[in-house]
Amino acid sequence: MSTAALVMMVVAMVVIWGGLVLAIVSLIRHGAVEDRAEELPRNV
Amino acid sequence: MSTTAGRATGQADEERRRGAFSSRRVFILAAIGSAVGLGNIWRFPYVAYENGGGAFVVPYLVALLTAGIPFLLLDYAIGHRHRGSAPLSFARLRRGTEGLGWWQVGICFVIAIYYAAVIAWALRYTFFSLDEAWGADPEGFFFGEFLQAGDVQVTADVVPGVLVPLVLVWLAVLVIMALGVQRGIGATSLVFIPVLVLAFAALVVRALLLPGAAAGLDALFTPDWSALTSAPVWAAAFGQIFFSLSIGFGIMITYASYVGRREDMIGSGLVVGFSNSGFELLAGIGVFAALGFMAQAGGVAVGEVASDGIGLAFIAFPTIISEAPAGALIGVLFFGSLVIAGITSLVSVIEVVISAVRDKLDTSRLTATLVVGGPAAVLSLVLFSTTSGIYVLDVVDHFVNQYGILVVALISMLIVAWAVRALAGLGEHLNVHGRPRVGAGWRVLTSLVAPAGLAVVLVFALRDDLAAPYGDYPGWLLLVCGWLLVAVLPLVGFLLARLPWRAGTHLDGPPPGSDPAAPLHATPATDPPPGNRPVTGHDEGGLR
């Protein structure tokens, strides 16, 4: 493989698969915060 | 208190009546199952190769972030806020727009009919791979012995080799649909999406170990930077993102209506969008590694063996399977992946129709499955198990995509943004539980950038089809199965919108009990808090 092709393959992998990982982590973290907040008693 | 409880009870009743996914995870897997289809495997690699190779990453990502994901979120917002099938969601958004939903339903009905045939071919080829039934001439075998395709004409000569797997595909799909949203669609996605990813990853590893794989990847990823100044390349990127994500024709509206009202639809949309593109990238690597091997084995350049669609799947891959060590393994993984990706997409397409019929006519799940699936299966068998099936399929597929999905998506997007002016309200709905929040940027992308991108794709498609008859097919075939078909669908859609809704259907805005900001704890009896939520979603199959 040429250097240019290799670089573009790595760039595509990092951006797309990295974006997927970030999206999953963000969703899990946000969901967890929401769930904790939801468990707080609201009638105190 | 009693008002809140009443609303929540209404919501619970609505979920029991319509069905719902049991969790965000099931919804995300089902949405990925819908988005990841045949196009990811057999269309993306060639589109990327033809449009700048490695440089295609730039317009592709721009299209994903400026049009694909914003449009996906728009679909989610419409369905999640209005809690209905595409026609019901549009009717609740503004009564006069209901016809857009039925237009989308019509498109989905047509797609289901031919999409099942391709899955049936892939199913048959999964078994052909075991003994390389195509022999030394995969192309002659596919068109001759397998499809028995003759001259371009419509015939009633049934091909048993296609009929039997097609019947099996329809039986499997109808069982899934009858089981309901969670036990059918949700459970299928929960099992088969991980299987699909594992199977395809195994295929990619096997392809990368073949001699010549590096040459294939070199051909795919070598950047042609001059492509970035080419309008058709940008149109190809927007087109690929649009067609790949299952947006704009009712699927994501329908699926979003089955998601709990307090879920983060923005974060879910980002996961679905990047998952779809992530799978496409994986497919590109696997397909071009295999094509690199094929080129080396044949002593030709990769460009001479690169192809897409039916040619890639049913002609190039059989050649690779015949020549590669452990070819049967490659065949089973490749065609098995096509079958799984196809089935999870097909059920989402049919669900658009079933959901609409149930909302409108108040029928049980089983009745709606039979009313929709029965005629669809019969039409599918009549049209596509004959010797003329492939020609009709090719023409219908081309026209329904370019002038069905693309046009209804563009028009509905413009109407929602500019006529109904609903973007601000829909954005607020997404932001109640969604992160990162959407704001003015999202509204600009969905009202201007995405429609402009889709309009350019449409103009290029129209220019090509007017310049030369698609596929060199005869004019009568293009007229009947192409232009007339796509012209009739919106007419049927707006006629169906005139039928009355079932008694008691709420049509003015989001239904009672659907407010995502309403607290859960106000109604513990009907809407348990997180941690105590039922693990199974609501299934409505055959209960009523």
Side-chain angles (χ1 to χ4, degrees):
Chain A
M1 276 181 83
S2 68
T3 308
L6 196 61
V7 167
M8 289 316 293
M9 186 173 81
V10 172
V11 166
M13 287 173 166
V14 169
V15 174
I16 294 175
W17 291 344
L20 173 59
V21 171
L22 280 180
I24 292 172
V25 169
S26 165
L27 182 66
I28 291 171
R29 280 190 181 161
H30 174 239
V33 170
E34 279 293 303
D35 286 351
R36 280 198 299 277
E38 195 56 49
E39 284 164 8
L40 292 173
R42 291 175 182 276
N43 54 350
V44 290
Chain B
M1 176 70 187
S2 61
T3 307
T4 313
R7 282 179 181 163
T9 305
Q11 175 67 11
D13 288 345
E14 183 88 349
E15 285 190 8
R16 260 190 291 277
R17 194 186 63 75
R18 298 188 69 246
F21 291 121
S22 65
S23 68
R24 181 173 60 201
R25 186 168 59 116
V26 177
F27 159 65
I28 288 174
L29 285 174
I32 292 172
S34 172
V36 172
L38 304 178
N40 295 63
I41 298 172
W42 76 18
R43 190 172 187 271
F44 169 79
Y46 190 71
V47 169
Y49 168 76
E50 277 284 284
N51 292 284
F56 186 71
V57 171
V58 176
Y60 179 80
L61 284 173
V62 169
L64 174 68
L65 297 174
T66 64
I69 289 177
F71 200 166
L72 184 66
L73 296 181
L74 177 65
D75 268 359
Y76 280 179
I78 293 172
H80 193 246
R81 187 186 191 202
H82 299 99
R83 323 291 306 167
S85 57
L88 182 54
S89 288
F90 274 109
R92 284 174 171 168
L93 179 72
R94 181 72 61 85
R95 288 297 298 276
T97 63
E98 185 189 327
L100 293 171
W102 287 108
W103 185 359
Q104 295 178 343
V105 168
I107 288 170
C108 285
F109 187 80
V110 172
I111 292 174
I113 288 170
Y114 73 79
Y115 205 81
V118 185
I119 300 171
W121 298 349
L123 179 63
R124 196 81 203 282
Y125 265 68
T126 309
F127 293 96
F128 283 161
S129 301
L130 297 175
D131 61 353
E132 294 163 16
W134 45 77
D137 180 15
E139 184 170 0
F141 176 84
F142 178 68
F143 288 104
E145 203 171 323
F146 177 55
L147 294 181
Q148 298 175 24
D151 295 334
V152 181
Q153 57 181 335
V154 176
T155 70
D157 301 332
V158 172
V159 183
V162 178
L163 179 75
V164 173
L166 192 50
V167 168
L168 293 176
V169 167
W170 275 108
L171 283 176
V173 167
L174 293 184
V175 168
I176 293 171
M177 304 319 293
L179 283 172
V181 175
Q182 173 61 27
R183 280 188 302 163
I185 300 169
T188 302
S189 308
L190 209 53
V191 173
F192 284 107
I193 296 306
V195 170
L196 172 64
V197 173
L198 287 177
F200 210 87
L203 174 68
V204 171
V205 170
R206 180 71 197 95
L208 287 172
L209 294 174
L210 291 170
L217 295 182
D218 195 52
L220 176 61
F221 285 106
T222 297
D224 170 14
W225 297 111
S226 67
L228 296 185
T229 57
S230 159
V233 168
W234 284 85
F238 275 81
Q240 176 60 32
I241 285 291
F242 172 74
F243 290 121
S244 172
L245 265 178
S246 293
I247 46 181
F249 61 114
I251 293 175
M252 291 304 175
I253 293 177
T254 307
Y255 272 15
S257 75
Y258 297 141
V259 182
R261 63 190 166 90
R262 296 174 60 83
E263 293 295 357
D264 176 354
M265 298 305 283
I266 300 174
S268 303
L270 288 170
V271 171
V272 172
F274 275 99
S275 296
N276 180 62
S277 292
F279 192 88
E280 285 193 329
L281 180 61
L282 190 69
I285 293 169
V287 165
F288 267 81
L291 289 174
F293 164 75
M294 182 179 168
Q296 191 188 66
V300 296
V302 175
E304 289 187 40
V305 296
S307 58
D308 65 347
I310 289 169
L312 174 74
F314 298 104
I315 297 168
F317 257 87
T319 309
I320 294 164
I321 292 161
S322 292
E323 291 171 356
L329 175 67
I330 295 176
V332 170
L333 290 173
F334 178 76
F335 289 111
S337 295
L338 280 183
V339 171
I340 294 174
I343 291 271
T344 51
S345 295
L346 179 58
V347 295
S348 71
V349 168
I350 301 175
E351 180 60 21
V352 172
V353 191
I354 289 179
S355 178
V357 168
R358 296 200 67 217
D359 279 347
K360 188 89 174 186
L361 303 176
D362 195 22
T363 59
S364 72
R365 180 90 202 171
L366 187 60
T367 306
T369 300
L370 294 175
V371 165
V372 172
V378 169
L379 279 171
S380 182
L381 292 167
V382 168
L383 286 172
F384 300 111
S385 64
T386 64
T387 55
S388 57
I390 188 166
Y391 307 125
V392 176
L393 188 151
D394 193 20
V395 172
V396 173
D397 177 52
H398 175 76
F399 279 84
V400 164
N401 273 284
Q402 301 294 348
Y403 309 109
I405 297 178
L406 194 51
V407 173
V408 76
L410 183 58
I411 290 177
S412 49
M413 200 176 209
L414 290 172
I415 287 177
V416 170
W418 296 102
V420 183
R421 304 191 78 82
L423 291 184
L426 292 170
E428 282 172 19
H429 174 89
L430 289 173
N431 284 339
V432 173
H433 295 293
R435 299 291 183 280
R437 293 174 190 274
V438 295
W442 174 72
R443 294 197 295 275
V444 170
L445 293 175
T446 42
S447 60
L448 290 173
V449 178
L454 295 187
V456 172
V457 178
L458 183 61
V459 167
F460 276 108
L462 207 52
R463 186 195 62 178
D464 291 346
D465 278 318
L466 294 178
Y470 172 71
D472 283 330
Y473 287 109
W476 63 266
L477 186 64
L478 295 176
L479 184 68
V480 175
C481 297
W483 297 111
L484 279 179
L485 176 69
V486 294
V488 162
L489 288 173
L491 297 178
V492 172
F494 280 89
L495 278 176
L496 285 172
R498 299 179 72 87
L499 291 175
W501 286 93
R502 64 186 162 79
T505 303
H506 174 93
L507 290 174
D508 302 315
S514 65
D515 181 5
L520 285 171
H521 289 289
T523 57
T526 55
D527 214 350
N532 293 330
R533 288 176 184 164
V535 289
T536 55
H538 288 298
D539 268 310
E540 67 299 9
L543 296 175
R544 296 175 58 248

